[in-house]
Structures are given as C-alpha cells and as structure tokens.
Amino acid sequence: MIISERTYRFSYNLWLVVLGTSLIFRMPATLLLILFVAYNLLFYKRMRFTKDRMLIMALIATPFLLDLLFLWNNESLAEGFKHAEKRLSLLILPVCLLSQTHRFNSARVLRYYAWLTTLILVICILRFAWIESELFLKYLSGKDLWEMGYTFAKSTGNHAPALNMHTAFVVVINFYFLKGKVQNAKIRSIVLPLLFFIASVILLFYINTRLAIANAFFGIILVSLYQKAKLFDLNVLKKLGLGVLIFGVIGIGFIKMFPYSIQKFSSVTFAHIDKVGKLDELENPEETVFNSLVTRLSIWQSAFEVAKQHPFIGVGAADGKRELIRYFKTTNQQFLAKYEFPVHNQYLDFWIKFGVLGLITSLMYVSLFLYFGIKTRQVLCVFFFVLFASANTVDDFLIRFDGIVFSGLWLCFFAQAYVLNRESRKRGLDEQTHF
C-alpha cells in the first residue's frame, strides 16, 4: 500500500493516541494491539533497523527475554510459555515503534491521549452513578467509603491501583499542557485545558489510592520546576501555584465530602505495624488489615525469605507465587495463605522468579524511563519513572497487562526521541569529520 508521508505520520500518531487510551480496557486494547502490529507489518518498508536501535529494543525487551532464558527453570514448560506470552508486547512494541524513521508528534499524542482518557473516565463514572445509583448515593452519604474507588474501578474491569496509576499520569500530562497556556493572554485558550485538568484530578481523588495521589502532586511540582534556573521566578511560581491551588481545593473539598480519606491516609495506613508477620494474631484481619501497609510488609518479609532461598536462579516465572504461598503455609501464616496474596513488589517478584538477574532486570527496566527522560529532557518521561518505580514498590505491574503494555508503550514512545536524537548527533559528527 502506498500513502503519502504526511498521511502515514498522521495515522501513526493517531494509532498511538487510540492505543494509549484503550489500555484501561483490556479486551479492546488487546485487539487494537494486534491490529497495530498488523498495521506496522503492512508498512514494513518504512521500518529501519540499526545496531543502536536493536540494542535499545533488546533493553526494553529484557523482561520478556528473561522469561525465555529461564524457561527451563519452570516445573511446567507450558506454564513458563504462558507467562512469557504476557510480556511478549515488550518485544513487539519496541520493534514497531523504535524502527520508525519519522519523529512522533509528542505534544499532540500526549495531549489528545490525556484528554480522551479523561473524557472516557468521566463517562465511566457517570455510567457508574447511573447503573449503581444506590452504591453511589451511599458513598455520597459517607457510608462504606473504604470500598468506593475499588468498586468504581471494578465496574470498568480494572483494579483501583492500576486505574489510578493511569489517572495520575493523565493528571500530570493535563497540568503540563495547562501550564503551557498560563502565559497566554487569551483566557479562552486556558478554559479547555483547565477543565480537563480539574476533571482528571476529581477522578484521581474518587478512585483514591494513596500512592497515585502523592505521585500526581509530586508530578505537578516536578513539571513546574523542571529545568528552571530560577526557583523563585514569577512565572514558575504562578504555574506551580495554579496547579497546587486546584489540586488542594479539590482535595479539601473531597475530604469534606468523604472524611474517611483522612483515616485512610493516616491511622488506617499505619495501623497494626507491630503485627508484621503475625497477622493471625488479629481478631478479624479481613476487615482490619486486608489492604493495609502491615499486610504488604508481612508479604514482603516472606518474599524476601523465599528470594534468599533461591538467590541466583530463582524458582521460575510460573512457580514464583506458588513458592510464596508454600512459604506462608510452612510458617503457619494462615491469613496470607488463605487469600494467596502475590508479592505486591515487582523487584522482589522478579528476584524470586529469576534470581539476582531478575532483580537487576526489573531495576534496569524501570530506570530506562529516567535515563531517556534526562537524555532527551522530557519531564513527563522523568515523571513516568517516579510513577512506575514507586507503583512497582507496592505492587507488581510487570505481571499484569495494564502494567506491561502501559509501561512498554510509553517507554518506547519516549525512547524513540532518544534514538532519533542520537542518530542526528552521529550524522552531525560524520559531516563535521567529512568536512
């Protein structure tokens, strides 16, 4: 098929927006990912592979390559392949995106991705208020607020921490583009970015996961101050003040409507810390500590012990959770064994499964966001590092579709600018040497 360069570039940017937005819904996203791969194969002549590009592709694909390297270490080879298949997109996405020779329109892709995601989530929450009106009204009256965000996320087919990780990224992108409009004298140019920013912040607070809210607040500060020589420059303070003011006002208003948030961020979070590894001593752990920090700490303590038992080659991708549950039972931790909790820490999870090489790989993969962000001066890429690194400290998103494809897509998106910048510098050096 022959199309103009302009049409091809436009369609590719459109694919990135649609694919990124679809990631909050697994089935449509899976179908779109398959179609996206087919689209790239249709225009395979536009793909370019060099040693440098293939090296970056391999670095991004390391979690998948690790699955292949340690296939032999699984009790069941079929289960090992099943786990490798989950991370196959970390090979597919780099091959597709990093082989492109044209530069993506980063500003448009990110802006429309954030706006479209915000709009879809607003529709989802309105749908939730309609189909679950009794629940929604119950929450508005201040009852059972602990399950509020989780129930809404479940209505969209998502897990609340995963959905709010997407939402936190969208909040910071919306603020990034709002910040760019603040200096514009025309008020009407600010209205639309402002509305999307406010809507995304409200969604963030409604889903109400602690880490995502903290990350979004940090992201607003980071975007305001990044690469600014003068910290107390009036324009910087103006932009920072706008973001913090809106975030703070919505936060205060949310606490007034849903006062449980104060408990959630304080007493509930740090309750029963003295019971780490001894959760069965609590009278009713299901009600008191099911999603609490003490449960996470108890799981991590056990996971660390399992990792120490198999420090170099691990137990295999398919057997990691099984070994952890077996340890719960061996140490008579009945509550953890009953609910078969996963590791809830990606670094420990990979250490258990692949040994020390897994731990190094997980740290390296997450750190690529920081490296590409600094090298290309993309503040949103730097923020994604903060968001994804912290999210994987309390959860394991490289075993979930919404974490694997979400991180893989945006890592490749930001890495493509690094690849093209590097090639441009090399051409410049070659020309200088020639002359």
Side-chain angles (χ1 to χ4, degrees), residues 7-292:
T7 302
Y8 179 73
R9 293 187 179 197
F10 173 80
S11 63
Y12 212 91
N13 287 324
L14 182 60
W15 261 114
L16 294 173
V17 172
V18 173
L19 190 57
T21 305
S22 72
L23 294 180
I24 53 178
F25 306 108
R26 179 168 183 167
M27 290 307 295
T30 303
L31 177 61
L32 284 168
L33 185 59
I34 294 169
L35 294 174
F36 178 65
V37 173
Y39 179 82
N40 279 270
L41 292 175
L42 184 64
F43 295 101
Y44 71 93
K45 290 184 178 179
R46 293 178 179 268
M47 301 169 80
R48 181 189 176 199
F49 298 92
T50 64
K51 287 182 179 179
D52 285 349
R53 288 181 184 227
M54 291 176 70
L55 175 61
I56 303 300
M57 291 175 192
L59 286 174
I60 295 173
T62 45
F64 170 71
L65 298 177
L66 207 60
D67 277 308
L68 298 184
L69 182 63
F70 285 92
L71 266 177
W72 59 271
N73 201 26
N74 294 287
E75 285 186 17
S76 166
L77 196 61
E79 285 296 314
F81 274 112
K82 185 178 177 181
H83 280 262
E85 180 268 335
K86 288 182 180 180
R87 286 184 274 269
L88 180 60
S89 58
L90 294 182
L91 177 64
I92 292 171
L93 287 168
V95 169
C96 292
L97 272 69
L98 298 184
S99 62
Q100 298 303 307
T101 56
H102 70 281
R103 194 177 291 273
F104 304 144
N105 191 327
S106 300
R108 285 189 178 181
V109 169
L110 288 166
R111 181 191 296 116
Y112 291 120
Y113 154 72
W115 287 5
L116 188 56
T117 303
T118 304
L119 183 60
I120 289 173
L121 287 176
V122 167
I123 293 170
C124 284
I125 204 166
L126 292 175
R127 169 185 170 273
F128 177 71
W130 175 260
I131 65 172
E132 297 285 359
S133 55
E134 287 186 19
L135 268 179
F136 193 76
L137 291 172
K138 183 178 74 171
Y139 298 149
L140 287 179
S141 65
K143 297 176 183 177
D144 296 334
L145 296 176
W146 62 272
E147 65 175 353
M148 181 174 68
Y150 282 83
T151 309
F152 166 62
K154 190 176 180 180
S155 74
T156 67
N158 282 283
H159 181 49
L163 183 60
N164 230 19
M165 180 175 65
H166 291 255
T167 309
F169 187 45
V170 166
V171 165
V172 176
I173 295 173
N174 281 334
F175 176 71
Y176 178 85
F177 289 106
L178 173 62
K179 181 193 73 137
K181 296 290 185 181
V182 169
Q183 288 176 299
N184 195 318
K186 297 179 180 178
I187 298 297
R188 62 184 178 183
S189 68
I190 303 175
V191 173
L192 197 58
L194 181 61
L195 288 175
F196 275 107
F197 176 60
I198 291 172
S200 61
V201 173
I202 291 171
L203 287 163
L204 181 80
F205 276 102
Y206 189 88
I207 302 169
N208 202 232
T209 52
R210 289 154 286 202
L211 186 61
I213 292 173
N215 274 326
F217 186 74
F218 177 80
I220 289 169
I221 296 172
L222 180 65
V223 166
S224 299
L225 303 182
Y226 189 70
Q227 293 182 334
K228 297 298 181 182
K230 294 181 180 178
L231 181 62
F232 297 105
D233 180 88
L234 183 60
N235 286 325
V236 174
L237 294 177
K238 192 187 300 182
K239 296 167 187 174
L240 176 60
L242 177 64
V244 171
L245 177 65
I246 294 171
F247 200 88
V249 167
I250 293 174
I252 293 168
F254 191 87
I255 289 169
K256 290 288 185 183
M257 287 185 68
F258 308 111
Y260 175 76
S261 297
I262 296 176
Q263 282 180 267
K264 184 177 180 179
F265 277 75
S266 55
S267 58
V268 171
T269 299
F270 300 103
H272 309 293
I273 292 295
D274 60 316
K275 298 297 182 183
V276 173
K278 298 177 289 185
L279 299 179
D280 294 310
E281 293 181 7
L282 295 168
E283 187 174 339
N284 194 344
E286 284 87 351
E287 288 188 9
T288 54
V289 297
F290 196 87
N291 288 310
S292 69

Side-chain angles (χ1 to χ4, degrees), residues 358-371:
L359 176 61
I360 294 168
T361 296
S362 60
L363 292 169
M364 183 276 297
Y365 177 81
V366 172
S367 298
L368 284 173
F369 283 99
L370 181 63
Y371 179 77

